Amino acid sequence: MSRLACVDLPAFPLQLLLGREPSWRAHAVVVVDRDRPSGKVLWRNERARVHGIRAGMRYAAALSLDRDLRAGTVDDAEIRRAVDGAVVALRRHTPFVEPSADEPGVFWLDATGLDRLVPSFEAWARGVLEDVVVGRGWCGAIVVGFSKFGTYAVARGGSGVGGSGVGGSGGEQRVDPIVFDAFAAESAAARAVPLDRLAIAPKVFDVLDKLAVRTVGDFAALPPEDIATRFGTDAAALHRLARGALSPLHPAAPESPMRQSLDLDYAERDSGRLLVIVERLLAALVTAFATRGEAITELAIVAGFDGGGRRVERIAPAAPTLDMRQLLELIRLRLESVQRAGGLVAGVVAIAIAGEGVRAPAEQLELFAERPPRDLAAANRALARVRATLGDDAVVRGRLREGHLPEARFVWERLERLGAAEPPPCAPTGALVRRIYPRPIALPARPRHEPDGWMLRNLTEGPVVRVSGPYVVSGGWWRRRVQREYHFAETEAGDVLWVYFDRFRRRWFVHGRLE
Amino acid sequence: MMSGALRDRLREDAAARGVRWGLRPVDTPVDTPVDVPAQWRLNALLGRLVEVTGGRASAALAVVFGLVREAQSRGEPVAWIANTASAFYPPDVAAAGVDLAALAVVRIPGVDRDADVAPRVADPLVRSGGFGLVVMDLADPSRGRSEPVRLPTAVQSRLSGLAKRHCAAIVCVTAPTGRSASLGPLISLRVEASRDVERSRDADECTSDEVACEIHARKDKRRGGGWRQRSVYRVPPGLC
């Protein structure tokens, strides 16, 4: 069974705030959503809890409970940067790290196979804790176990969700990792965790508390049928996990460094030719930024010169951008000015380009997406040429229509103009496709005695070994009555022929084959 | 090269803004639909002349239409060239998830010389650069198993060059001939597609209305032949 670990940094935004304002550790501290009296308390530390301050309270109300209360905001970008930093640090201990999408400060680590590389899981977990948690002045817990939910619940059970253990008196930090050797032991420990330690909606928690459902075990024991209806989908998902449903690890992909470089075979002294080289590097860099969903705020061009020495030029666009033309124009102007000043006389033998980015707006990213890969107008011109050569009826498309007989269920209609395809967004399973003959091929009458079996066409295909059907299709009574008994006849060679027996003509026909 | 994360984000953003999403780089990898095996995917076929032949219990049309669906889902126009003696059954193709309205079908009148005419039709289509996938259905029901279709080497060379230049895939569907005859030496990839009915039944791999199909690469100039891919396909109603 695969092993994984959960690193829990409780009340992560509060820890970030205390990291920014270490002198506040001796006070009651809250994180608010905005720096105003009407700002809502999101996280509070132990001292604030003692004063009766709760999450969800207005800052003004909290201040009335403790005149010495300290408050601050932690924006999403700061949290994201800290989470990214933690992920990079955790990757030093295992390549597969998944930060929680819902709760900042929760990370799952793939520990499968690490016991062969390290003396024990406990030693490995202690190393993670000391490097990533204690080393950064954070407090948190690590649990090594078997499931994402189990390790998360046990880690939460030890550290608390409300930040009560954070920044109490100089930062009390758990340093003892918990390691489970059996899934059953992990499950048992998880079931004993109080529900208030999990990120569960306060309203749901209140209702459950009234029902005396206070631990994960109590919650898991509830019948699953009505959980979603009564408590919502989030609670239902939590319930499924609490009952033992396994959730796979989705590790975040490591991000490539935002840097492109190239060593040149010769010393380049011309800014124009350098620009061509930089353009290639810039294209890769811009794509890398777009992949991250970021736009470039600043570029650094590092030129290494023949005989040693280097020069760094920094370029900042007016606003974060992914526009190659705009960036290239700025680079061109800078390179030309450097050349005019004699900065390229030594000859550039290595060039690197690195960038800083911020989250890009959707409009920027659409620059990469809005152009279709093919020119439909060119396709239509080519089809017009084919039409001119083979006739107007040569270029068609299939259209389904209502009908009883197979040949009546579709029609080939002229394709005047080819448009963009819109296949169903949800990919169905592939389907076997029949090849249909516009004129069914008449088969010889079946002899009364068939010592070698029913030979449909020739000896190569062999006799029919399996027949599915009949499926009776009738129609055309208003014109010429048709009654067919369709079968799928599988020959010894493996071919499946789509045959029918015409009741009125008393003959067998091949209408198609399965391919 | 665009990553999966960017594609997902672009898709979400485009959906949120009501903008139709398309891809820019032609060689961009896309999420492969479940019915298209990893090695049998449009990205691996772009710029190549490919032959798909039905083995014993042919599944050639099924695997090619898997490709058509993949091409359509990534915004690549598709053309299907065939003769008038036989055609794919459109209801089955629609059931396979193909948008019939956007599938250009060129039906060549007369069946005798379709192996000569089809490349002449394919030429301007690929040359236009407007198609990402052009399928030439050269399986002629009137031909016997012992009469393999051949493409002249000059034609193969021209089509192969066009496919490379315009980063398009040209796929030829041929009927099983009973021998291991190929369309010609310039075919870049030749695969045999067949149903594996017995193993599907024995291994409980499929439900009663499904069958496993196998793509067996007889020749692959890029990766080396011999690889196999299995996937599950639904059978038409009535076949069990």
Side-chain angles (χ1 to χ4, degrees):
Chain A
M1 196 171 183
S2 58
R3 302 297 303 262
L4 53 82
C6 178
V7 173
D8 177 36
L9 307 173
F12 193 52
L14 181 62
Q15 295 205 44
L16 294 179
L17 179 63
L18 289 172
R20 211 194 311 151
E21 305 285 353
S23 60
W24 289 5
R25 285 184 183 274
H27 301 273
V29 182
V30 293
V31 175
V32 289
D33 62 351
R34 56 184 186 276
D35 194 5
R36 289 187 180 175
S38 58
K40 194 188 286 183
V41 173
L42 301 175
W43 304 94
R44 87 293 195 226
N45 69 352
E46 176 64 16
R47 284 177 190 274
R49 189 190 70 79
V50 168
H51 283 95
I53 297 168
R54 288 179 287 110
M57 210 174 243
R58 298 290 168 190
Y59 173 52
L63 199 60
S64 71
L65 295 174
D66 180 7
R67 302 294 303 166
D68 204 24
L69 181 67
R70 303 288 195 273
T73 57
V74 181
D75 61 18
D76 290 345
E78 187 179 349
I79 294 172
R80 193 164 60 88
R81 273 199 303 275
V83 167
D84 290 348
V87 168
V88 170
L90 289 168
R91 279 212 187 97
R92 289 200 292 265
H93 299 273
T94 175
F96 303 112
V97 178
E98 178 189 346
S100 169
D102 305 319
E103 291 180 66
V106 176
F107 306 87
W108 286 281
L109 285 65
D110 186 3
T112 308
L114 290 180
D115 50 339
R116 297 176 188 175
L117 300 174
V118 294
S120 66
F121 278 124
E122 193 167 348
W124 171 77
R126 195 177 295 278
V128 173
L129 207 57
E130 284 172 4
D131 177 29
V132 181
V133 181
V134 180
R136 289 166 175 250
W138 291 337
C139 84
I142 182 167
V143 176
V144 182
F146 298 86
S147 69
K148 278 171 74 176
F149 177 77
T151 52
Y152 161 75
V154 176
R156 271 291 147 96
S159 56
V161 70
S164 53
V166 177
S169 53
E172 57 180 80
Q173 292 157 350
R174 290 180 57 90
V175 286
D176 292 330
I178 300 171
V179 178
F180 290 106
D181 294 324
F183 181 58
E186 178 200 287
S187 301
R191 293 169 89 87
V193 171
L195 268 185
D196 64 346
R197 298 299 177 93
L198 304 187
I200 194 164
K203 280 184 184 170
V204 174
F205 177 76
D206 289 345
V207 175
L208 289 171
D209 191 50
K210 284 175 189 162
L211 295 170
V213 177
R214 297 195 176 98
T215 65
V216 171
D218 296 341
F219 185 51
L222 293 177
E225 291 77 23
D226 297 328
I227 295 286
T229 315
R230 295 187 62 180
F231 302 113
T233 51
D234 288 347
L238 187 68
H239 187 255
R240 272 197 302 279
L241 294 170
R243 286 176 70 87
L246 292 177
S247 166
L249 196 72
H250 298 292
E255 289 178 344
S256 54
M258 295 289 106
R259 186 173 187 277
Q260 297 286 327
S261 63
L262 187 71
D263 290 329
L264 308 182
D265 295 335
Y266 52 91
E268 184 57 73
R269 294 178 178 82
D270 181 69
S271 64
R273 285 196 290 271
L274 266 180
L275 188 67
V276 174
I277 295 165
V278 170
E279 183 178 359
R280 257 181 19 226
L281 301 179
L282 184 65
L285 193 72
V286 167
T287 307
F289 270 102
T291 304
R292 275 194 188 178
E294 291 182 353
I296 295 171
T297 53
E298 188 184 64
L299 281 175
I301 301 170
V302 184
F305 292 102
D306 197 10
R310 62 179 209 152
R311 181 181 183 125
V312 181
E313 292 293 332
R314 296 192 179 277
I315 292 165
T321 184
L322 288 168
D323 185 359
M324 278 276 292
R325 270 190 317 180
Q326 195 186 134
L327 293 168
L328 267 180
E329 180 63 12
L330 296 176
I331 294 171
R332 184 183 66 79
L333 292 170
R334 179 63 59 87
L335 286 178
E336 282 176 359
S337 72
V338 170
Q339 188 180 19
R340 271 199 302 275
L344 300 180
V345 174
V348 177
V349 290
I351 192 151
I353 182 166
E356 293 285 328
V358 291
R359 201 84 189 148
E363 294 82 358
Q364 289 268 348
L365 293 169
E366 268 178 27
L367 290 172
F368 281 76
E370 64 197 4
R371 281 186 288 165
R374 299 277 174 184
D375 182 5
L376 269 176
N380 277 302
R381 283 196 296 273
L383 288 174
R385 284 190 58 175
V386 173
R387 235 179 261 123
T389 311
L390 299 176
D392 285 346
D393 292 331
V395 181
V396 294
R397 66 178 169 195
R399 183 169 60 81
L400 302 186
R401 62 180 187 181
E402 293 294 323
H404 291 289
L405 298 177
E407 62 268 31
R409 293 190 58 205
F410 69 94
V411 63
W412 296 113
E413 64 180 17
R414 280 187 191 177
L415 179 62
E416 303 295 345
R417 182 164 186 80
L418 182 67
E422 291 178 3
C426 190
T429 314
L432 292 181
V433 176
R434 280 167 280 190
R435 181 184 291 283
I436 188 169
Y437 305 145
R439 301 187 62 167
I441 302 166
L443 290 171
R446 289 185 70 173
R448 190 172 295 273
H449 299 289
E450 295 174 319
D452 298 322
W454 184 16
M455 307 295 283
L456 269 180
R457 299 184 72 176
N458 50 41
L459 289 173
T460 322
E461 290 183 355
V464 172
V465 292
R466 192 177 292 116
V467 176
S468 303
Y471 302 94
V472 179
V473 177
S474 61
W477 51 267
W478 56 92
R479 203 169 53 190
R480 195 187 68 169
R481 199 172 168 200
V482 176
Q483 188 173 355
R484 299 174 185 169
E485 292 170 0
Y486 274 91
H487 300 73
F488 287 101
E490 187 176 342
T491 67
E492 198 172 41
D495 292 324
V496 175
L497 297 174
W498 192 29
V499 298
Y500 69 85
F501 182 70
D502 192 319
R503 274 277 157 212
F504 295 106
R505 293 158 78 180
R506 310 289 303 164
R507 275 195 89 163
W508 284 93
F509 292 85
V510 180
H511 205 169
R513 58 190 302 146
L514 195 63
E515 289 187 20
Chain B
M1 194 70 74
M2 202 181 289
S3 77
L6 173 60
R7 282 195 307 279
D8 293 345
R9 188 173 154 76
L10 291 175
R11 227 176 247 130
E12 285 165 15
D13 289 341
R17 297 167 58 81
V19 175
R20 183 172 165 68
W21 185 81
L23 290 167
R24 186 183 60 139
V26 172
D27 62 342
T28 300
V30 295
D31 298 331
T32 311
V34 288
D35 55 334
V36 183
Q39 285 165 306
W40 181 253
R41 51 185 295 187
L42 192 62
N43 261 357
L45 308 186
L46 289 174
R48 305 175 79 180
L49 187 57
V50 181
E51 180 185 353
V52 182
T53 188
R56 186 180 181 275
S58 170
L61 286 185
V63 301
V64 174
F65 274 109
L67 210 58
V68 171
R69 193 198 179 285
E70 189 196 353
Q72 287 192 336
S73 60
R74 56 180 284 182
E76 297 275 11
V78 183
W80 187 280
I81 304 165
N83 58 44
T84 50
S86 72
F88 57 81
Y89 186 47
D92 287 350
V93 173
V98 172
D99 181 6
L100 281 171
L103 176 62
V105 180
V106 180
R107 304 189 75 204
I108 302 168
V111 296
D112 341 338
R113 309 298 298 162
D114 57 289
D116 299 336
V117 180
R120 291 213 298 271
V121 174
D123 186 307
L125 297 183
V126 182
R127 195 181 292 276
S128 73
F131 288 93
L133 173 64
V134 174
V135 182
M136 291 194 289
D137 185 358
L138 304 176
D140 181 350
S142 63
R143 277 180 211 268
R145 274 178 174 263
S146 56
E147 298 175 66
V149 184
R150 288 277 182 187
L151 279 184
T153 309
V155 172
Q156 290 175 52
S157 172
R158 195 172 67 245
L159 290 179
S160 187
L162 285 173
K164 272 199 195 87
R165 191 182 315 151
H166 296 286
C167 202
I170 302 178
V171 177
C172 307
V173 181
T174 57
T177 58
R179 328 176 202 164
S180 58
S182 168
L183 275 175
L186 295 182
I187 294 291
S188 171
L189 170 67
R190 179 168 184 266
V191 299
E192 195 174 278
S194 54
R195 281 170 284 123
D196 193 352
V197 183
E198 296 305 327
R199 216 172 124 194
S200 306
R201 283 180 188 141
D202 295 346
D204 289 337
E205 190 178 0
C206 314
T207 58
S208 60
D209 63 344
E210 290 175 338
V211 68
C213 295
E214 187 173 82
I215 298 170
H216 182 190
R218 294 289 183 185
K219 168 184 168 186
D220 187 343
K221 287 187 174 176
R222 286 192 187 168
R223 300 172 184 217
W227 55 261
R228 292 169 187 267
Q229 290 285 349
R230 281 173 75 82
S231 43
V232 173
Y233 290 83
R234 269 175 297 115
V235 298
L239 177 63
C240 49

